[in-house]
Amino acid sequence: MAERSFAREVEDLKLSAGEVFKGEGILAITKALLQSGVGYVGGYQGSPISHLMDVLADARDVMEDLGVHFETSASEATAAAMLAASVMYPVRGAVTWKSTAGTNVASDALSNLASGGVTGGALVIIGEDYGEGSSIMQERSHAFAMKSQMWLLNPRPNLPSIVQAVEDGFELSEVSNTPVMLQVGIRSCHMHGQFVAKDNKRPQFTLRQALENPSRDLDRIVLPPASFLHEKEKIERRWPAAVEFVRSRKLNEHFGPARGDVGIILLGGLYNSVLRTLQQLGLADVYGNSVIPLYVLNVAYPLVDDEVADFCIGKKAVLMVEEGAPEYVEQSLHTILRRRDIRTRLSGKDVLPVGGEYTASVLMQGFSAFLEAHAPQLLGNRPPVPNPSPVLADERVKALAEVVPPRPAGFCTGCPERPIFAAMKLVEKELGQHHISADIGCHLFSILPPFNLGSTTMGYGLGPASASAFNVEAGKRSIAVMGDGGFWHNGLTSGVGNAVFNKQDGVILIVDNYYSAATGGQDVLSSRAQNPRRKTNNSIVNAVKGVGAAWVRQIDRTYDVSKMRDTLREALTSKEPGPKIIVASSECMLNKQRRVKPQFAKAVKDGRRMVRERFGVDEDVCTGDHACIRLSGCPSLSVKHTDDPLKDDPVAAIDNTCVGCGNCGEVSEAAVLCPSFYRADIIHNPTRIDRYLAAIRGKVIGWLQAHREARRVVFAD
């Protein structure tokens, strides 16, 4: 169950030539694939292209009508290997994933694909998640394109440019027999706009034709002697063919005046930020007309040397704008200029930050420094009071940090993973600290407060593998944690299988929340939902036993903190050899609420009797110890002050965001804390019996309260 349905929006994918398509960037990419005659599409979800996979899944009927095959791949490596269909046959294929993490996973298949080359167009759509908003390591896809000689497109962030890049990407791939990477950032994926649609095309050559007419070309197989010739073919034929296509089709763009003392070269994805910065400096208008010549690299790799030289000749200085480190394009520009003895001064990372996201405010300082040095007349009359220096701004940030407490990322309200780590903290109190290897996924939040668990994370599904070095005799065992998404992605073989094969003695905890929850709630093999298009309900327990695991425990309700604690303790103290595997299962609360809330609201509207559970804290019982908060960290669990003069500290309180999971009460019971938590049933459309029982309870409680008050008055006298 994906976090968002595009069932309504995919109807726009049927638009014909001349009609105007309006919508999100993700949908525009899908429409561009269909207009390009793609034959098959695959991929693996991950921000910022998770919704692209969701769109493709919802658009499956549209794609099947066109004869386009789509499937969700088990991993990025699976998706990349899928492009093998375009190696021998003239069929267009596209795959997608989150970069750079996904590109790292897919690297083996991509290297072989790029070496032998392709016959049909092969397009890799990568979602670049760079900057402070990224959840992964800060790397650039540019490096992989250079390493494997794959061409990299980085279109301007508007729908017509992105759609054109998809169509051009397929042609570029076929002209040069090289797979092409299309890089789109998070803003490109989720921006809204419009473009004039074209008719969707059925694949000119289908997968069925390929199966019924097998073909093979030894020169395309990465095997000696052909593998030794691939490098030569890349340099002597594929690269020149790509450069000529980029040049003749004018894929890179020029804006602003033809000549000028200075110029700016920029990657296409940064165009909007650059234009916004120039507007703030008074050097461009709201329509994108720039005073400074701009050379926009919609093709980040390969560069067209002649175009670069022509742009730089006659200018005093040129500024290269590219996010991230190292400065690959800037280095290439230096090489081009020096080889041609062009004396234009080249700036880049000398005035712009080496790393980090290039927002308009960041670019403002770099552009000002560049223009101050090489074209101060363009800055015009500036205010006498200079902008705050970076040092002063940094001091202000530090001062603010002393007042505003940090807000670490955490689990959602009611998350079934929270009680797992509460139980782990209770076991830690008994048995001491253990080395904990974390994994990619929601459970990674356990590294942060209030749990502070976990030492390393090495990749998706690699939690158990990263604990393999600790398979030595010691007084304690290692603990490895991974989710069900990571388990099916990579963890079954590289984690559990490896642990079984090497007779590791550690504990492996698999968090099964029924979905690939961290990437948007997509189904996985073990999802409990009945999916008409995929085979679900495949047991993780059966899978780990199938590769030889003997000590396996299944917990079907992670909110049972006591059971979780006891099972963890057993795993850490068991004398049985081999890996100890715990499968802890409960549905992702976000997905559950997405499914249950509409059903509940409809039932209430229809007049049916419905009961909603809520939890609360009895102020008179709560001592204000707050241990429940330290062992839970639920966003709905907070504190409030009371009028009780005997209580100096605020008591615990539960706000209206509570989803009734009961974790707070379970933690309090397992940790032998105060019994201040209570459950209340809110009844919608109550029956006569409900009203009668409520009246009886009210009278009894009222009598008890009056009796207590009377006794209090007597004792006071």
Side-chain angles (χ1 to χ4, degrees), residues 1-5 50-51 54 517 519-522 590-591 594:
M1 176 184 176
E3 66 181 7
R4 177 180 171 187
S5 171
S50 287
H51 284 169
D54 299 335
T519 60
Q522 293 82 8
L590 273 182
N591 268 23
R594 292 188 187 109

Side-chain angles (χ1 to χ4, degrees), residues 390-406:
V391 176
L392 180 59
D394 187 55
E395 291 299 325
R396 291 177 176 176
V397 171
K398 290 180 179 178
L400 188 63
E402 294 177 359
V403 180
V404 180

